[in-house]
Structures are given as C-alpha cells and as structure tokens.
C-alpha cells in the first residue's frame, strides 16, 4: 500500500457533553495563548516559528506575539457570523448613523455561544471601518458590534475582524480621476464626478436589481440602492489616493481597537476590498457582461508608467502596444472583445499576435496592483498592531477571469513579509453530498509559505440554498470539508452566510465532534500519503483568452473527477515543482499548464520519478517565449495538431468497450452563451502514440506514449470520467484505499472516504483505526460498507510501544 501504510498513534477524544473534548484545552489557549507558546506539532513543511518551537521549545517562548498568533491561526478553527454586518459601501440611516444589513442580529449572539460551547473560540465578522464619508468617521456601529460580540461569546473569545476598505461613494465625486470607469471609457473628470452617487454608479461590481443585502427572509434589510447598468465603479485598484485614504481609515480603526478593552482578544486583521470584499476587480465575475474596467483616468496613467518601466522607453512601449502616438494621457486599452470574446484561430485564442501583448501586459499590471494593495494594507496592520494580516486571494481554480481579477500573482504575494494568511471560499460546484468538494485556490501551495484559511461555506439543509436535503447529507459535507482541510494542513472557518445554517443541536454535536478530531489531528506531525499530484498553473491564465466553458471542463470538473477516482491527491502550482519533494508521486496530472518555459522544465523534469506517469491536458506547453504548438512535443512527448472544434464533440474509446464521452457546446448551459466552442488539439499518432480514444473525425483525443519506463498520456477534450483516471492510476501502481466513485482525502493522520453511490470493499490500510464519525473500531481486512453520499473518516489508533 506504499505511503498509505503509515499511521501514527491517534486516539479520538470522547466526551459526555458538548462542553467536553476541546473545551479545557482551547480555553487555555484563549487570551493566555498570546502570552505563552502554543504546544502544537510542526507540519511537514513548517513555518519558521513552528520549526523553531519543535527544535527549541524554550527559545520559542521569546518569539514575537505575531508568531504566536500565527500558530494559533494555524491550529484552531474559526466561526464567521453576521453579527454587526454593515452595508458596503457604507450607507447612512435616517439619523446619519451607519445603516446595518440586518434589522435584527440577536440570533447571531446565540450562534456565537453555540460555537463557543462546541470548542470554537475564535470568531470573525465584518467590522465597519468607521469610514462613512470622505474625511468623516462614525464608530457607533463598530463599537456596538464589538460589545455585542464579546457579551455573547465571553471575554475568553478571540477575534478576527474583516475590514472592508472600499471607498464611500461620495469619494468618487471628489476623486473622479481615481474612480473605476467601465468600457468604453473616455469620460472626463467632470462626467465621472457627475455620475458618482447616481443610479449609474456601480456599487458592487455585480448586477443586483435589489441592491446589496442579505436575504430579507433571514432578517435582512432591503438595500434602497438598486445596482444595475453602472457606467463607473468605486476606486481604481491602482489609485495612490485610495491607498492613502483607505490606509488612514485602517490606521484609525486599528488604533481604536488596540487602545480599547478588546485589544487582547484581537489576534489578526482580515483586509477586504473589491468585489464582495474579496480583492477582485470590479465586474470580473459577471458571465455575460463586457463592461470591464478599468478605463479610468489615473489607472490608464498608472498602466503607462508600468509599461515604461517594463519596456524602458516611450518608443519601445509604442511598438510593443501598437500605439505610435502613445503618451501618458492617451493610453488605449484593448476592447473587452479583444481581451476575451473574439477569436478566429487557435493563435488568437492563445494570444499569439503582437496585438495581444497589451492584453497580457494589462492583466499582469492588474495583478501587481492588487498585490501591492494587499501588501500595503497588511503593512499598516503590522505597523499599528504587530498582529497577523491576510486577505482573500488566488481564485484561479474557480474564476475564468482570474488574471483580470488580479488573482494570479502568487509569487510576489507569498514573498511579502507583511502578509501572514490568505483565504478563499470553497468552490461552489461539485460540493453536494456524494461529490468531491472544491477549492478556489490551491491551499497546499499557499501553506508552503503562509497560512491558508478555508472558508467552509457549507450550505447545510437549513440554509436558503441547501446542498443537502437532510442531516445525513449535511453530516457528509461537514466531514468532507474538514478532511479536505486536514490533508492540505489548512485552517478553516465555519461560514454562516445567511444566519442559522448551523442552528440545530444535531449539527452542533457534529461540529463538536469535528473540533475534537481536529485538535487531535493538528497535534500530530503529518506525512503525505498521496501518490497522485495535481498540477495547475496560475501564470497560464495570462496566455489565453478567458473561456467559461473551457475553465469549467478543464479546471473545475477535471479536478473533481480526479478526486472521485478513489485515491488521495495533492495539489500544487507548477511553480512549486521546483522546490517540493516529488519522489512520492507515481502519477502527476498537469491540468492547465499552457505555458511551460524551457528553463522551468529543465528544473522540474530531473526531479520527477523516472517511472511516474504524466497526464497532460488540453494545450500543454504550447507557450514558451511565444505560442508554438510544436514545442509541446519537446516537453510532453506528444506532437499536437490544431483541429476545428465541432458544436458537438464525441470521443469513442478504442478498447472495444463501446464507451463514448461527448461534449455538446450548443446546449443551453450556465456558462457564457456568447462563447464559441473552445479550441482543441489532436495527438499525432504517427509518432508512436497509442490512440486510446478518437474524435468522430478519426483524430486522437486521448493517447498514450510508453518510453523508458514512463507512461505519458494526452487528454485533448477534458471530459474524462473518474473511472478513466482510476485506470491510469492503477496502471501506475498507485495505492487505492477506496473504489472509483469515491472522493478520498488523506495523510498519515486520517483517511476520509466519501462515495457517490453505496460501496462495499475490504479495508486495505494497515493497522487499526477509529471512525471519527461513529467511533467504531476498524482494522485492515475488515469489510467496509458506506451508504450512498455517506462518509467514513478513519483515524489511526494508538499502537503498543513495542510495535512502533
């Protein structure tokens, strides 16, 4: 069973009441955690402070409070509630005070107490910055939210405020040059100022006829500001004026908190701005809307300055961007059609022409502006409090326009000394009971350098948009999301978006069990057991036009199908392969690796196992320093041929099974209906490739090359099912703890199995285990039976000392 045979002593804590298990241990970690070291085991690739603790516990006591707080974040769960939720952007009520999203948030106080009782001592809410208008501050809502939270949760609670730093709308009237302007742009300062604070002013970056509010069915106030057909947005992300003004608002708030009675309770600050506060550019999530930004005055000037720095002179910039008369005052951004929608060939789609250079550059500029803002605000947190700082970031696994949204510049952000944690919501597809669960960003990559905190937005059967029909389905989702986070060594918070999603004794008993298991698992040093590695690439988003159809098929659903193959899989970025240990991976699945330079591959390829199976998807390595499909052969072994994609594609397997897979591009779907079928390639079988499946035109859609002890596969149309991936993994000799059709999350400390359909199989893991859900003991060779959409979470039991 390879790596899966490893297990460590690991009893599950049991208790007779919902207060037992985590209560005493976590209470001692509350306020005192900030004054003394936290005794937790180091991770496989520990943060510097965790490594220092394991090597010299006495010296660890002298680490900064910031280092201790980061350890608390890594080893404790969080509960996010709606308590004290302000409107964003801010809105004054009839008395001139801050208008709140809820007309009654008193139930949230009960939810806080429920989670405290279940062992979750860290809480998070959106806390109003106080910045209600340009140069004006109102902290009445801020002070009340803090008082209400600690009155409910108690003085031992720890707190992470999420602080939104978008500008009050009137700021745009005073600073029109620093305001986002949507396509086609061309507005003067006076015109922008005149549009500010009118129905043509887009508050949120998303069309919402009823404005921005929580659902009125769940105690939400109705927003009096409909948000439709906006011509301008809020602040430009490149605005120096925004950074200064929002930074001043942040400093004022932190000083108020740090000089107040709750300073000792606040352990970190979550920076938020942009679309839904998730550091995303305005309108980047809208499927059918091409009013992109940012055609604003100072944003264009900042882009010009960026271009001069890159190309060295005005003449070189004019040549690169095909604008002979370019100057700081007349930069012309490409149209949204050029940036995304219109393409006539593979080369067009993959931004091969000189005219596309400005598209690549502009998205790179967006990413750098976003990283600069996150770093700038995080530095203020450090200067004013010395505490941990973080933000939402990295949504490229779920958002096709990740580059325009500013979410692909990982390397710069991960090097920042000011940023301690990054977060994202879970993915919102393939998340029902019996499905794989999803992530919007690769947690294991982030955890190499920072702390990733997963927002577990679990739509229980009590939610307004339930993913589960009943408690059984909710239980499965809760444990699956937990197991997912444990494998990636991530923190997480339980998310109660509309209030009451966990408002059930049954659900809270399950949360208490999960928290007890989490405490035990986090106390053990993990070893990786996955023999499958998923590789995705954030940088490749710059080198093709966004396609909602391709992104769903290639990234979202392909990763899900791999995870449903019955084997655990790790997931890292392509850039990480130059520094992580690859010796344990018997199969490496490359998802969207459009751009692989010769230099990068020269560093990666010697580090791969010589017998590792490599699986390449869609358009691997067609970009190096330029677009050239022929270069893929040098890296993947497959000679690719461009082919015309039909509206209905059928792939038939060549094994005589009669198995077919199809993709209907003409069918109504939730992707953008304006898109054409995305381009596809075929493998040239004359080069010795074995054709495993063909398109209806006879070209190779799925092929295999065996050479020098290694199997390599090419998947052109990314619609393989989990059974097909399982065959690849079986051929690679990979240990499989569960049948195909099951999601598996595992490391040396646990193995979670989540089937779509009912399964029966013999447990092939060595040793004796406790099912953390039922507390039943299971051992190698036992018959395992899991109902459809059920769950099994195995934790190694203690072994006698003589056996260790």
């Amino acid at each position: 069973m390879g790596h899966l045979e490893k297990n460590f002593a690991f009893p599950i804590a049991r208790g007779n009441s919902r207060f037992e298990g985590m209560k005493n241990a976590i209470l001692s970690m509350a306020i005192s955690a900030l004054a003394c070291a936290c005794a937790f085991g180091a991770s496989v690739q520990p943060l510097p402070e965790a490594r220092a603790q394991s090597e010299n516990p006495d010296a660890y006591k002298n680490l900064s409070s910031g280092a201790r707080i980061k350890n608390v974040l890594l080893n404790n769960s969080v509960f996010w509630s709606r308590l004290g939720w302000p409107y964003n952007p801010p809105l004054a009520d009839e008395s001139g005070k801050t208008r709140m999203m809820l007309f009654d948030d008193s139930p949230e106080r009960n939810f806080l107490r429920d989670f405290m009782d279940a062992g979750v001592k860290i809480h998070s809410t959106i806390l109003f910055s106080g910045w209600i208008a340009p140069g004006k501050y109102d902290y009445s809502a801020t002070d009340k939210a803090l008082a209400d939270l600690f009155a409910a949760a108690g003085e031992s609670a720890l707190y992470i405020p999420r602080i939104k730093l978008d500008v009050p709308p009137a700021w745009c009237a005073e600073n029109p040059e620093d305001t986002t302007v949507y396509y086609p742009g061309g507005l003067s300062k006076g015109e922008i100022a005149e549009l500010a604070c009118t129905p043509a002013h887009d508050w949120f970056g998303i069309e919402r006829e009823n404005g921005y509010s929580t659902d009125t069915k769940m105690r939400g106030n109705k927003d009096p500001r409909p948000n439709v057909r906006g011509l301008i947005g809020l602040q430009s992300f490149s605005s120096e004026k925004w950074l200064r003004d929002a930074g001043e608002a942040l400093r004022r708030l932190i000083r108020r908190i740090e000089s107040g009675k709750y300073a000792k309770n606040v352990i970190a600050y979550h920076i938020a701005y942009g679309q839904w506060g998730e550091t995303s550019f305005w309108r980047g999530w809208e499927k059918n809307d091409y009013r992109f930004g940012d055609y604003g005055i100072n944003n264009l000037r900042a882009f010009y300055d960026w271009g001069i720095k890159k190309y060295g002179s005005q003449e070189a910039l004019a040549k690169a961007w095909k604008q002979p008369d370019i100057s700081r005052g007349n930069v012309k951004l490409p149209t949204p059609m050029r940036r995304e929608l219109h393409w006539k060939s593979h080369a067009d789609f993959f931004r091969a022409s000189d005219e596309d250079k400005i598209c690549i550059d502009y998205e790179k500029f967006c990413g750098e502006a976003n990283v600069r803002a996150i770093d700038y605000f995080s530095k203020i947190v450090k200067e004013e409090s010395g505490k941990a700082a973080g933000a939402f970031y990295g949504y490229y696994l779920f958002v096709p326009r990740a580059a325009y949204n500013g979410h692909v510049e990982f390397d710069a952000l991960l090097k920042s000394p000011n940023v301690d944690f990054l977060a994202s919501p879970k993915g919102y597809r393939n998340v029902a009971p019996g499905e794989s669960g999803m992530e919007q960003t690769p947690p294991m990559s982030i955890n190499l350098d920072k702390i990733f905190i997963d927002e577990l937005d679990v739509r229980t059967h009590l939610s307004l948009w339930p993913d589960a029909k009943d408690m059984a389905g909710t239980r499965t989702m809760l444990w699956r999301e937990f197991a997912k986070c444990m494998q990636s060594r991530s923190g997480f918070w339980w998310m109660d978006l509309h209030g009451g999603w966990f408002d059930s004794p049954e659900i809270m008993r399950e949360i208490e069990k999960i928290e007890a298991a989490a405490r035990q698992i986090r106390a053990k040093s993990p070893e990786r057991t996955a023999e499958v590695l998923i590789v995705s690439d954030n940088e490749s988003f710059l080198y093709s036009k966004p396609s909602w159809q391709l992104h769903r098929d290639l990234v979202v659903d392909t990763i899900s199908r791999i995870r449903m193959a019955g084997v655990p899989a790790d997931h890292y970025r392509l850039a990480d392969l130059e520094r992580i240990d690859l010796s344990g991976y018997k199969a490496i699945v490359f998802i969207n690796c459009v751009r692989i330079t010769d230099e990068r591959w020269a560093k990666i390829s010697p580090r791969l196992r010589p017998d590792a199976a490599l699986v390449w998807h869609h358009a691997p390595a067609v970009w190096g320093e330029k677009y050239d499909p022929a270069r893929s052969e040098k890296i993947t072994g497959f000679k690719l041929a461009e082919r015309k994609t039909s509206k209905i594609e059928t792939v038939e397997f060549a094994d005589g099974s009669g198995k077919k897979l199809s993709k209907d591009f003409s069918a109504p779907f939730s992707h953008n209906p304006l898109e054409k079928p995305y381009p596809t390639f075929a493998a040239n079988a004359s080069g010795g490739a074995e054709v495993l499946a063909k398109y209806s035109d006879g070209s190779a859609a799925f092929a295999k090359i065996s050479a020098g002890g290694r199997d390599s596969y090419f998947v052109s149309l990314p619609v393989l099912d989990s059974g097909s991936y399982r065959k690849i993994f079986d051929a690679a000799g990979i240990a499989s703890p569960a049948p195909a059709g099951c999601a598996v999350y595992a490391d040396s400390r646990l193995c979670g199995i989540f089937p779509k359909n009912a399964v029966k199989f013999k447990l092939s893991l060595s040793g004796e285990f406790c099912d953390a859900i039922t507390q039943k003991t299971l051992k190698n060779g036992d018959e395992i039976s899991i109902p459809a959409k059920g769950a099994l979470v195995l934790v190694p039991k203690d072994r006698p000392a003589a056996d260790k």
Side-chain angles (χ1 to χ4, degrees), residues 606 626 668:
K626 62 179 182 178

Side-chain angles (χ1 to χ4, degrees), residues 128 551 590 648:
F128 183 45
H551 188 270
F590 296 87
I648 299 178

Side-chain angles (χ1 to χ4, degrees), residues 351-667:
R351 293 178 167 174
S353 73
D354 288 342
E355 285 75 15
D356 286 317
K357 185 173 292 185
I358 190 173
C359 299
I360 296 172
D361 282 347
Y362 182 66
E363 291 183 352
K364 181 79 172 172
F365 161 78
C366 289
E368 291 183 7
N370 199 24
V371 166
R372 183 185 69 150
I374 294 171
D375 181 71
Y376 178 84
F377 294 130
S378 297
K379 185 178 181 181
I380 290 175
V381 171
K382 287 287 183 291
E383 291 171 349
E384 298 295 338
S385 72
K387 295 178 179 177
F392 287 116
Y393 194 77
Y395 294 12
Y396 75 84
L397 297 181
F398 206 71
V399 178
R401 292 192 192 115
Y404 164 57
N405 274 313
H407 273 230
V408 300
E409 294 298 319
F410 274 87
D411 293 325
L413 192 59
L414 294 177
K415 291 175 183 176
S416 167
N418 303 310
V419 177
D420 302 293
F421 68 89
L422 297 177
S424 83
K426 69 171 181 57
Y428 294 108
R429 181 170 165 83
N430 305 313
V431 294
E435 296 180 328
S436 65
M438 291 297 299
E439 295 160 332
Q440 297 207 37
T441 193
M444 299 183 87
S445 280
I446 294 170
N447 286 329
L448 290 173
D449 300 289
K450 305 294 182 184
I451 297 169
F452 177 70
I453 304 179
D454 202 343
E455 179 180 276
L456 301 188
D457 191 355
V458 181
R459 309 293 170 87
T460 71
H461 63 286
L462 301 182
S463 76
L464 290 174
W465 314 315
D467 287 320
K469 296 180 180 179
D470 51 27
M471 181 59 205
T474 290
R475 179 180 293 110
T476 291
M477 294 192 301
L478 295 174
W479 282 99
R480 183 196 62 212
E481 296 304 302
F482 160 73
K484 179 187 74 175
C485 290
M486 292 299 98
Q487 178 181 320
S488 63
R489 276 81 73 189
S490 301
F492 60 83
W493 71 70
W494 301 105
M495 179 73 169
D496 192 17
L497 182 60
H498 286 109
W501 288 7
F502 305 95
D503 189 18
S504 151
E506 223 178 353
I507 293 178
M508 291 312 301
R509 282 195 294 270
E510 214 65 37
I511 295 289
E512 185 180 7
K513 287 165 59 179
I514 290 172
E515 288 299 322
R519 178 170 176 263
Q520 296 294 325
I521 290 173
R522 287 165 173 157
K524 297 294 182 179
S525 297
E527 293 186 21
R528 293 174 185 149
T529 59
E531 297 175 330
V532 173
L533 173 62
I534 298 170
V535 179
S536 59
D537 183 37
N538 48 292
E539 187 184 17
S540 286
F541 279 81
L542 297 167
Y543 295 93
S544 66
K545 294 181 185 288
S547 166
W548 298 81
Q549 299 181 80
L550 177 59
H551 188 270
R552 174 169 288 189
D553 290 346
L554 176 61
V555 181
V556 177
D557 287 349
T558 291
I559 292 174
S560 176
R561 294 180 186 120
I562 292 167
R563 291 207 177 278
M564 291 298 295
V567 302
D570 289 343
H571 184 171
Y572 286 95
R573 296 180 303 128
L574 181 66
D576 299 324
L577 270 57
E578 298 178 21
R579 59 178 177 145
I580 64 171
D581 179 12
L582 301 176
S583 62
Y585 297 118
K586 296 180 180 179
I588 302 178
V589 187
F590 296 87
I591 301 298
N592 68 323
C593 300
V594 170
R595 185 174 189 258
I596 306 177
T597 64
D598 291 343
E599 180 183 7
R600 170 160 284 173
W601 189 244
K603 294 177 181 178
I604 292 173
S605 57
R607 309 184 75 249
L608 305 175
R609 288 173 59 122
D611 61 344
L614 307 183
V615 187
W616 302 95
H617 285 82
H618 186 244
V622 299
W623 254 95
E625 298 309 316
K626 62 179 182 178
Y627 172 74
D628 180 11
R631 72 178 304 276
S632 180
E633 184 176 14
K634 178 180 178 181
I635 291 175
T636 70
F638 294 95
K639 187 175 182 179
L640 303 185
E642 296 177 350
R643 62 183 300 276
K644 183 178 180 180
T645 309
S646 302
K647 287 190 176 181
I648 299 178
E649 289 285 6
T650 301
V651 175
E652 184 170 358
F653 284 72
D655 58 4
S657 64
K659 180 179 178 180
K660 294 182 179 181
L661 297 173
S662 64
K663 170 68 180 179
D664 187 353
F665 289 98
S666 65

Side-chain angles (χ1 to χ4, degrees), residues 234-309:
L234 293 177
Q235 77 277 358
S236 289
F237 281 27
S238 63
S239 167
E240 299 284 350
K241 185 67 163 57
W242 167 55
L243 292 179
R244 290 195 302 271
D245 291 355
E248 175 63 18
L250 179 60
R251 286 187 192 277
R252 286 172 176 259
L253 177 62
I254 294 176
R255 288 171 183 173
R256 188 178 185 88
I257 292 172
E258 295 299 323
S259 63
K261 64 185 294 187
Y262 304 116
K264 64 184 183 300
N265 303 83
V266 175
I267 61 171
Y269 291 88
H270 184 168
I271 300 304
Y273 58 82
Q275 203 159 262
W276 300 114
E278 297 178 55
T279 69
S280 290
F281 275 61
W282 310 112
R283 307 204 72 79
W285 297 351
E286 289 283 67
K287 292 185 178 72
N288 305 319
D289 197 319
Y290 290 89
R291 285 171 294 161
F292 294 168
D294 178 0
Y295 298 78
I297 296 169
N298 277 345
N299 189 65
L300 294 179
R301 292 170 179 166
F303 184 40
Y304 174 87
D305 295 342
W306 182 94
I308 290 292
K309 183 177 180 180

Side-chain angles (χ1 to χ4, degrees), residues 90 92 96-98 128-143 163-168 171 241-256:
K97 298 296 184 181
T98 305
F128 183 45
S129 69
W131 191 22
I132 196 168
K136 296 181 180 179
Y137 300 89
D138 168 29
Y139 296 106
S140 57
T142 307
D143 295 342
I163 303 165
K164 294 193 176 184
L165 297 171
D166 297 319
V167 300
W171 184 93
K241 185 67 163 57
W242 167 55
L243 292 179
R244 290 195 302 271
D245 291 355
E248 175 63 18
L250 179 60
R251 286 187 192 277
R252 286 172 176 259
L253 177 62
I254 294 176
R255 288 171 183 173
R256 188 178 185 88

Side-chain angles (χ1 to χ4, degrees), residues 113-126:
R113 285 188 284 269
D114 287 344
F115 273 84
M116 287 292 288
D117 291 345
V120 179
K121 307 304 181 185
I122 307 178
H123 298 266
S124 182
T125 69
I126 298 173

